[in-house]
């Protein structure tokens, strides 16, 4: 009659001493403990598959893996063996999962996501991944990312005063994990478990500055200690109704000040269609001053760091506004476009011309047949909007618009 195997205890394990040769001590159910000549102790699993004895499979070192956890792993692998499956393959698959980090998976995901997309979308996605996601989560195995990890990333971004960027980063991660689920790389989406409204609200998407707030914002800009070129950039941003990067990355070659037009090439536009901006008298005056400030650079807004061969960063204007500490609730720079559209519609200007001025696509069947550019109406609209903004700035009569800063 075979001798019954005696189960190990922690006391018995601690009493095991090394010898000049390694030796095995049996627990139960195929679990064994190998005592090394150095005194270290390693859990192994002994099993037979399809009638053939298999090599010992390593569970891990004791006491890092305590007795109770080693038995749990033994039981998990025993169930695989009972189904005729190899626990060794299971271990190998787990190691492969750990090698597949967020950074390595993100690279393959990005290569597919970016193909055929606009340059602006590519820049946004790369910025989110490189600035916020990968420094925080990049080294983690994809399968080990938890909702708590995603929330920690969002909290870190919000701590620097960027709640909308935190929400955008969460949304990008959610799309990436949806893709990973579809590819059977993971079984759950940790970003989806982080409810969007707990990260940040989308209130800025509905934000329209009142006439009074327009004046408050622009007067605060001109009385701040930011450098003159940035003050003019913010003023130009509200007057021209363009997107932030369309302004910060512009070159002097895109302007014809004598004709009062700014032609933005298709590769710099969100919808990849060229866009003409009709310049108001105020915008031309600002650009004339900026020409003198740009130190013969090809860029309208050259960086002041290092070489002037590059434009300012897309985040420079945001940082300048945040540094002012204005008491304008939920305000972000993109609100300038929505603000302009709202007030121009309230003034009674034609919607199609306003949409063209904003470089928006006219949707529906109307957009299919309407190819008009509304040039004359847009010239009128842009001058009317500049005069409206000027009236709000002059409301408190704080400073002359183009005085030295």
């Amino acid at each position: 009659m075979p001798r019954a195997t005696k189960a190990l205890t922690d006391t018995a394990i601690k009493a095991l001493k090394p010898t000049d040769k390694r030796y095995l001590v049996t627990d139960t159910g195929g679990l064994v403990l190998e005592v090394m000549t150095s005194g270290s102790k390693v859990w192994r699993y002994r099993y037979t598959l399809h009638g053939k004895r298999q090599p010992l499979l390593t569970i891990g070192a004791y006491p890092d893996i305590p007795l109770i956890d080693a038995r749990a792993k033994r039981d998990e692998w025993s169930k695989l063996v009972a189904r005729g499956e190899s626990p060794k393959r299971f271990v190998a698959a787990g190691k492969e999962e750990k090698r597949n980090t967020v950074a390595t998976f993100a690279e393959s995901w990005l290569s597919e996501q970016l193909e055929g997309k606009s340059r602006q979308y590519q820049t946004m996605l790369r910025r989110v991944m490189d600035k916020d996601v990968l420094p925080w989560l990049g080294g983690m195995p994809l399968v080990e990312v938890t909702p708590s990890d995603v929330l920690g990333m969002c909290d870190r971004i919000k701590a620097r005063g960027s709640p909308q960027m935190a929400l955008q980063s969460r949304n990008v991660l959610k799309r990436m994990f949806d893709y990973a689920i579809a590819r059977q790389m993971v079984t759950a989406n940790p970003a989806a478990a982080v409810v969007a409204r707990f990260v940040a609200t989308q209130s800025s998407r509905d934000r329209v500055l009142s006439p009074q707030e327009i004046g408050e914002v622009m007067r605060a800009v001109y009385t701040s200690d930011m450098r003159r070129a940035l003050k003019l950039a913010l003023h130009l941003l509200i007057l021209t109704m363009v997107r932030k990067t369309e302004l910060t990355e512009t070159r002097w070659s895109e302007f014809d000040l004598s004709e009062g037009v700014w032609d933005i090439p298709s590769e710099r536009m969100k919808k990849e269609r060229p866009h003409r901006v009709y310049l108001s008298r105020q915008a031309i005056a600002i650009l004339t001053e900026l020409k003198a400030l740009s130190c013969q650079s090809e860029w309208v807004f050259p960086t002041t760091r290092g070489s002037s061969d590059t434009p300012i960063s897309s985040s420079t204007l945001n940082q300048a506004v945040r540094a002012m500490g204005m008491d304008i609730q939920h305000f972000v720079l993109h609100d300038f476009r929505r603000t302009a559209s709202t007030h121009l519609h309230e003034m009674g200007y034609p919607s199609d011309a306003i949409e063209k001025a904003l470089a928006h696509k006219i949707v529906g069947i109307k957009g299919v047949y309407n190819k008009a550019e509304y040039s004359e109406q847009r010239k009128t609209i842009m001058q009317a909007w500049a005069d409206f903004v000027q009236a709000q700035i002059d409301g408190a009569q704080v400073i002359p618009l183009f005085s030295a800063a």
Side-chain angles (χ1 to χ4, degrees):
M1 182 177 178
R3 186 176 61 183
T5 302
K6 186 177 180 181
L8 288 172
T9 63
D10 281 311
T11 301
I13 293 171
K14 291 173 183 177
L16 295 172
K17 303 299 181 185
T19 65
D20 56 354
K21 291 185 179 181
R22 296 184 296 178
Y23 64 94
L24 297 174
V25 180
T26 303
D27 183 52
T28 54
L31 181 64
V32 297
L33 186 67
E34 184 169 12
V35 182
M36 316 301 282
T37 56
S38 62
S40 60
K41 299 158 186 175
V42 180
W43 294 112
R44 317 275 191 196
Y45 176 58
R46 177 187 285 149
Y47 66 104
T48 299
L49 187 64
H50 305 308
K52 185 177 179 181
R53 175 61 63 90
Q54 303 295 315
L56 292 174
L57 195 56
T58 300
I59 295 175
Y62 176 91
D64 295 339
I65 297 179
L67 177 59
I68 188 171
D69 290 347
R71 285 175 175 164
K73 181 61 68 176
R74 171 205 64 194
D75 294 342
E76 178 185 340
W77 288 351
S78 295
K79 290 176 183 177
L80 291 173
V81 173
R83 295 199 300 264
E85 299 177 22
S86 170
K88 185 176 181 179
R89 271 186 201 170
F90 180 81
V91 171
K95 289 180 178 178
E96 182 60 32
E97 283 184 343
K98 288 184 179 296
R99 282 195 294 269
N100 195 11
T101 64
V102 171
T104 56
F105 184 78
E107 192 57 41
S108 63
W109 177 69
L110 284 172
S111 65
E112 179 163 319
Q113 287 293 301
L114 297 182
E115 186 176 355
K117 298 296 194 301
S118 69
R119 191 169 68 88
Q120 188 176 30
Y121 179 80
Q122 293 184 31
T123 300
M124 179 278 292
L125 212 54
R126 282 286 183 189
R127 184 188 70 236
V128 168
M129 297 303 292
D130 294 343
K131 183 176 181 179
D132 290 315
V133 175
L134 298 183
W136 186 255
L137 303 174
M140 292 187 66
L142 195 69
V143 296
E144 292 185 6
V145 178
T146 66
S148 179
D149 296 321
V150 177
L151 191 58
M153 177 196 73
C154 293
D155 289 343
R156 177 171 170 261
I157 300 169
K158 288 197 291 184
R160 68 168 190 258
S162 304
Q164 293 300 320
M165 182 57 72
L167 183 59
Q168 187 177 52
S169 299
R170 173 265 183 194
N171 293 344
V172 167
L173 260 186
K174 181 178 180 295
R175 294 203 298 273
M176 189 186 82
F177 273 96
D178 283 342
Y179 179 88
I181 290 172
R183 295 297 182 276
Q184 298 184 335
M185 304 297 293
V186 295
T187 58
N189 189 328
V194 178
V195 180
R197 69 177 182 275
F198 295 153
V199 177
T201 65
Q202 293 281 21
S203 56
S204 67
R205 290 191 174 183
D206 301 320
R207 187 69 165 93
V208 173
L209 295 175
S210 68
Q212 180 182 355
E213 287 175 328
I214 293 172
E216 289 176 8
V217 168
M218 293 313 303
R219 288 194 297 272
V221 166
Y222 276 105
T223 55
S224 73
D225 59 0
M226 76 175 72
R227 58 191 175 91
R228 181 68 175 175
L230 298 185
K231 296 178 181 181
L232 298 177
L234 290 166
H235 196 172
L236 202 57
L237 189 65
I238 191 171
L239 294 186
T240 57
M241 305 190 299
V242 297
R243 298 174 181 89
K244 184 178 56 180
T245 55
E246 292 162 6
L247 178 70
T248 57
E249 297 177 7
T250 191
R251 292 175 165 88
W252 285 112
S253 58
E254 297 174 6
F255 292 91
D256 186 337
L257 297 185
S258 63
E259 294 294 324
V261 293
W262 172 16
D263 287 312
I264 308 176
S266 58
E267 61 268 19
R268 293 210 308 107
M269 295 298 297
K270 182 177 181 180
K271 300 298 183 182
E272 297 189 323
R273 293 191 302 268
H275 178 56
R276 169 165 283 191
V277 178
Y278 293 97
L279 300 170
S280 62
R281 294 186 302 273
Q282 291 90 335
I284 292 173
I286 291 172
L287 287 161
T288 301
E289 182 176 349
L290 283 167
K291 187 72 173 176
L293 295 174
S294 61
C295 303
Q296 298 184 326
S297 171
E298 66 172 310
W299 305 99
V300 176
F301 301 102
T303 182
T304 56
R305 297 180 179 179
S307 170
S308 62
D309 292 339
T310 57
I312 59 175
S313 164
S314 61
S315 63
T316 299
L317 296 183
N318 298 72
Q319 293 166 356
V321 169
R322 279 200 298 270
M324 290 164 53
M326 288 186 299
D327 188 23
I328 303 291
Q329 190 176 23
H330 299 312
F331 167 68
V332 295
L333 289 179
H334 193 74
D335 296 335
F336 279 160
R337 284 168 55 81
R338 188 181 309 102
T339 296
S341 176
T342 300
H343 289 297
L344 286 168
H345 276 96
E346 288 179 349
M347 292 176 201
Y349 289 102
S351 180
D352 288 353
I354 295 171
E355 293 303 297
K356 283 289 184 180
L358 290 162
H360 284 167
K361 183 178 179 180
I362 299 174
V363 298
I365 193 69
K366 188 177 183 180
V368 173
Y369 292 104
N370 187 354
K371 303 302 180 185
E373 293 298 323
Y374 304 101
S375 299
E376 292 305 315
Q377 289 176 314
R378 286 164 59 188
K379 290 177 185 177
T380 300
I381 284 172
M382 298 303 283
Q383 188 58 57
W385 174 240
D387 291 341
F388 178 84
V389 171
Q390 185 65 53
Q392 312 319 312
I393 297 173
D394 291 343
Q397 299 180 349
V398 174
I399 56 169
L401 184 55
F402 297 113
S403 67

